[in-house]
Amino acid sequence: MTSGPDERSWCVVVPHHPTGARLARHRLADELAGLVPAMLLADLVAVLAELVGNAIRHAEPLPGGVVRVAWRLGPATGDERLVQLRVTDGGAGTGPRMRAASQDAVDGRGLHIVSGLASRWGVDRDGLGQSVWAEFDPAGTPSAGLVATG
């Protein structure tokens, strides 16, 4: 991720373990507190939790048993900034997809949450694994769903 003069980016590596999701959420919240509005920060934390949780539950780790988590703040336009989250793992047999979940199901709603909170989200694949990303555009509208690339 390249950054212009008004952009900022972070990249952290967390264990491919449930504690990794907690570590990523806390780091994101600590780094972005005061840089984005509190309601946006709450949405970012919720989406990051879903993306890291999915990587841990459904995908292989990167070498070293880790998941890479990154976020970027775009240039400020007034009080608003584009924010992108990206979670990279070792990939899975099938890519992320939204599922239909019954009212009493205990899981299956994560990507619906991502789609409802993010302006758009998608998946990039390469020979080493996959990155699932979500963008939050203050001028945009909630996502229509998956944008697959690679």
Side-chain angles (χ1 to χ4, degrees):
M1 290 182 191
T2 61
S3 296
D6 196 27
E7 296 180 42
R8 295 182 67 180
S9 61
W10 295 260
C11 184
V12 298
V13 176
V14 298
H16 186 270
H17 182 273
T19 60
R22 181 178 51 78
L23 293 169
R25 286 191 324 266
H26 287 285
R27 181 72 183 268
L28 175 77
D30 289 347
E31 295 291 344
L32 296 185
L35 296 177
V36 299
M39 289 196 58
L40 174 58
L41 183 56
D43 290 350
L44 293 168
V45 169
V47 168
L48 187 67
E50 290 298 333
L51 297 181
V52 175
N54 284 350
I56 292 166
R57 279 189 299 281
H58 303 296
E60 295 296 318
L62 291 168
V66 299
V67 174
R68 187 173 59 239
V69 180
W71 54 92
R72 181 178 61 85
L73 293 177
T77 54
D79 291 338
E80 300 178 337
R81 294 175 179 244
L82 174 79
V83 181
Q84 183 185 68
L85 304 176
R86 180 173 294 267
V87 175
T88 304
D89 56 48
T94 60
R97 69 188 192 307
M98 292 174 56
R99 299 185 299 176
S102 66
Q103 287 184 335
D104 57 346
V106 296
D107 62 3
R109 294 177 187 83
L111 291 177
H112 292 280
I113 293 168
V114 171
S115 184
L117 295 175
S119 300
R120 66 188 202 125
W121 68 277
V123 181
D124 295 331
R125 292 182 182 83
D126 62 22
L128 301 175
Q130 68 184 9
S131 294
V132 182
W133 53 266
E135 288 184 349
F136 297 77
D137 183 351
T141 57
S143 170
L146 173 68
V147 177
T149 60

